[in-house]
Amino acid sequence: MSDPQIPLDDPLAPSAQPSTSTAVLEREQVEEQLQEPGDHERFSHYVRKEKILESALSGEPVVALCGKVWVPGRDPKKFPVCPTCKEIYEGLRAPQDGQE
């Protein structure tokens, strides 16, 4: 028996070259939690003045010297200063906010 001839322009014809395809993967977008529960909420934190101004204009979160990330929105004079921020500010530790 002989094989029937398949036209070259047939899309279902087997090909000598590998075929490729593209697929779309869906993923769930997860939002980071900006506020950490615990003692951090009881303190005022040290943040660079220019970062506070940027946050006030853009609404973006700031990073305190101790590493806490949040969007400022309360009067810092109503709370005691974070001991970790104070220690860093006084030069006992290197800052954790990614800047020097």
Side-chain angles (χ1 to χ4, degrees), residues 25-89:
L25 298 175
E26 293 185 29
R27 65 179 176 186
E28 218 174 284
Q29 186 172 354
V30 179
E31 296 283 331
E32 290 184 27
Q33 183 179 4
L34 295 178
Q35 296 184 352
E36 301 170 357
D39 289 341
H40 286 295
E41 300 305 316
R42 299 180 189 169
F43 296 116
S44 293
H45 296 273
Y46 287 170
V47 178
R48 298 180 195 288
K49 286 182 184 180
E50 63 271 8
K51 296 295 182 184
I52 294 283
L53 293 173
E54 287 176 21
S55 176
L57 295 173
S58 69
E60 294 290 320
V62 294
V63 180
L65 291 177
C66 67
K68 177 179 170 39
V69 179
W70 86 108
V71 177
R74 61 183 187 175
D75 183 7
K77 295 177 183 173
K78 294 182 179 179
F79 300 92
V81 174
C82 167
T84 307
C85 283
K86 187 174 183 178
E87 184 179 339
I88 292 168
Y89 184 76

